């Protein structure tokens, strides 16, 4: 894997001034990202690019990432390298389809697929706008993350939806589906 990083020079005073002007704590509803890349340098660079705006959990072992997803890790978006030894991005993506809470959206990062499976997935994800090619700029990656996050509910929003569904189920049990539907229709008028 070859990575090219574009790191702008910043003067110390400007960095400290920008830090002072930034609110201390961002919204508690920060999106949760899972970064999966077998290359330690690449995963650290990605973490640095996203950590200002998102909560990121980094995995250099795709098997450990899959285990975390299967154990119930709730993430809004998975940033996943396509080519990794042992378990590549296409295999991880397929395996994540079976996790109990449902497969989170994936954004693939690639320097180019070399196996048939990875090349096929690369083409599929590219058509869906879910692929970032290496080398990439931090702004490009953040823009793609923002785009994908705007298309799907966050973990916090999903939690609220589950609570709403639970409340509706409780109301149906108490009132019956017909009375609940009638009450809803009455509210709509």
């Amino acid at each position: 894997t070859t990575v090219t990083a574009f790191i702008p020079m910043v003067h110390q005073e400007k960095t400290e001034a920008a830090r002072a002007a930034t609110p201390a704590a961002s919204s508690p509803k920060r999106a949760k990202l899972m970064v999966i890349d077998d290359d330690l340098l690449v995963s650290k660079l990605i973490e640095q690019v996203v950590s200002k705006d998102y909560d990121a959990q980094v995995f250099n072992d795709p098997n450990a990432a899959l285990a975390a997803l299967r154990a119930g890790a709730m993430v809004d978006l998975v940033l996943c390298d396509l080519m990794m030894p042992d378990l590549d991005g296409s295999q991880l993506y397929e395996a994540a389809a079976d996790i109990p809470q449902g497969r989170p959206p994936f954004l693939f990062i690639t320097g180019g697929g070399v196996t048939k499976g990875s090349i096929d997935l690369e083409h599929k994800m590219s058509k869906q706008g879910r692929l970032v090619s290496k080398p990439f700029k931090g702004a490009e990656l953040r823009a793609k993350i923002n785009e994908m996050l705007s298309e799907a509910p966050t973990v916090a929003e999903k939690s609220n939806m589950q609570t709403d569904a639970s409340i509706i189920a409780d109301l149906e049990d108490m009132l019956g589906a017909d009375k609940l539907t009638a009450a809803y229709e009455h509210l709509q008028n």
Side-chain angles (χ1 to χ4, degrees):
T1 303
T2 302
V3 177
T4 304
F6 299 96
I7 303 172
M9 300 249 330
V10 178
H11 294 286
Q12 177 93 16
E13 310 86 54
K14 289 182 182 178
T15 303
E16 290 173 0
R19 205 176 293 130
T22 303
S26 296
S27 167
K29 296 180 182 178
R30 288 168 50 109
K32 298 178 184 329
L33 307 181
M34 179 180 281
V35 177
I36 308 168
D37 198 308
D38 61 306
D39 187 316
L40 184 62
L41 177 62
V42 173
S43 63
K44 284 296 179 188
L45 285 170
I46 293 171
E47 182 179 28
Q48 286 179 344
V49 167
V50 303
S51 64
K52 179 182 174 199
D53 300 314
Y54 313 104
D55 292 332
Q57 185 175 14
V58 176
F59 289 88
N60 296 111
D61 176 359
N63 288 302
L66 180 58
L69 287 170
R70 286 182 171 153
M74 298 299 294
V75 298
D76 296 306
L77 181 64
V78 175
L79 295 127
C80 185
D81 186 20
L82 196 55
M83 293 306 306
M84 297 180 285
D86 191 30
L87 183 67
D88 68 24
S90 63
Q91 294 165 327
L92 177 62
Y93 182 73
E94 290 304 317
D98 298 332
I99 61 174
Q101 70 272 24
R103 177 174 52 205
F106 272 65
L107 173 61
F108 288 94
I109 300 170
T110 184
V114 295
T115 65
K116 170 129 175 58
S118 64
I119 291 170
D120 291 345
L121 184 65
E122 185 176 324
H123 289 289
K124 178 181 174 184
M125 293 298 124
S126 180
K127 288 178 184 176
Q128 295 177 14
R130 295 169 47 189
L131 185 77
V132 174
S133 296
K134 297 175 189 174
F136 55 83
K137 293 185 179 179
E140 173 190 4
L141 180 61
R142 283 189 298 275
K144 183 53 76 174
I145 291 168
N146 287 333
E147 176 186 323
M148 289 192 65
L149 289 173
S150 70
E151 296 171 0
T154 64
V155 169
E157 292 167 337
K158 287 177 191 172
S159 176
N160 289 341
M161 284 188 252
Q162 290 169 345
T163 301
D164 292 347
S166 175
I167 291 169
I168 291 169
D170 290 344
L171 287 171
E172 279 184 349
D173 288 344
M174 291 186 325
L175 300 174
D178 292 337
K179 285 186 179 180
L180 185 60
T181 301
Y184 177 75
E185 288 172 356
H186 177 73
L187 289 173
Q188 294 297 316
N189 296 328

